[in-house]
Amino acid sequence: MEYKLPDLPYEENALEPVISAQTVSFHYGKHTRGYIETLNRLVADTEFSDMPLERIISSADGAIYNNAAQAWNHVFYFEQFCKGGNGDIDGKLKTAVEKAFGSTIAFKDMFVAAGNSIFGSGWVWLASDKAGNLHIEKCGNAGNPVVKGLLPLLAFDVWEHAYYIDYRNRRAEHLNALWEIVDWRVINNRHDKVLNG
Ligand code: MN
């Protein structure tokens, strides 16, 4: 089985001015495509060649883990945005966010602060445990909270390739701007799936 890069659910310029078409073109069209192509080469004729990505992430290490996790993380990342953003934290997700972090605003501030404090490349995640409690997880490099048994809901990429063209070294400014393009319908749906097991 060959892993394939899905088509983006929007045009390359749809996320402007928060993420430029040029960044989307490099970040999705080159970096994400590269992880998938490398993964296909690495897993050919191995025990991993027919596994769903989530199982590879939970069981592999080294280069296969890194490329599988980066492939999964980036598809997850790009599908959570839309032109101009949509809605806000709502319904059951809002109740869970307020329980864990006090308020929606406090959550967003903590999430950006966590992402900004990652040394070097990585990801900041909002994830749920099996009991429905929410956690902010800081992961280095290709890290994904699935390996800890958590269920990811939202991810911001803090690798420089995610923001250097548009924001240079201003990571916090980039992370704060991302709230303007989050499609909360996608995040609420992910949360509903977690609640429904
Ligand atoms: Mn990236």
Side-chain angles (χ1 to χ4, degrees), residues 27 31-32 35 70 74 77-78 122-123 157-162:
H27 196 186
H31 290 285
T32 305
Y35 296 126
Q70 284 293 75
H74 282 88
Y77 171 81
F78 279 99
W123 295 82
D157 185 345
V158 305
W159 287 57
E160 284 187 342
H161 68 214

Side-chain angles (χ1 to χ4, degrees), residues 2-10 12 15 19 21-42 53 63-81 123 142 157 159 161-163:
E2 195 160 272
Y3 300 99
K4 289 206 164 61
L5 184 71
D7 289 334
L8 275 179
Y10 40 75
E12 281 190 347
L15 307 181
I19 304 177
Q22 190 184 18
T23 290
V24 173
S25 169
F26 274 87
H27 196 186
Y28 200 70
K30 296 193 189 297
H31 290 285
T32 305
R33 184 183 302 282
Y35 296 126
I36 290 175
E37 288 175 353
T38 303
L39 179 68
N40 282 326
R41 279 202 305 278
L42 291 172
L53 279 180
I64 290 180
Y65 168 82
N66 284 333
N67 285 280
Q70 284 293 75
W72 193 98
N73 296 357
H74 282 88
V75 172
F76 186 86
Y77 171 81
F78 279 99
E79 78 181 12
Q80 74 196 355
F81 298 127
W123 295 82
D157 185 345
W159 287 57
H161 68 214
Y163 59 88

Side-chain angles (χ1 to χ4, degrees), residues 73-124:
N73 296 357
H74 282 88
V75 172
F76 186 86
Y77 171 81
F78 279 99
E79 78 181 12
Q80 74 196 355
F81 298 127
C82 68
K83 185 178 178 64
N86 196 324
D88 204 341
I89 296 171
D90 215 343
K92 289 175 182 159
L93 180 61
K94 189 173 186 205
T95 305
V97 162
E98 288 173 347
K99 182 181 170 202
F101 310 110
S103 70
T104 294
I105 290 172
F107 157 68
K108 288 179 178 175
D109 286 347
M110 289 167 71
F111 194 78
V112 167
N116 200 41
S117 71
I118 293 170
F119 185 80
S121 296
W123 295 82
V124 58

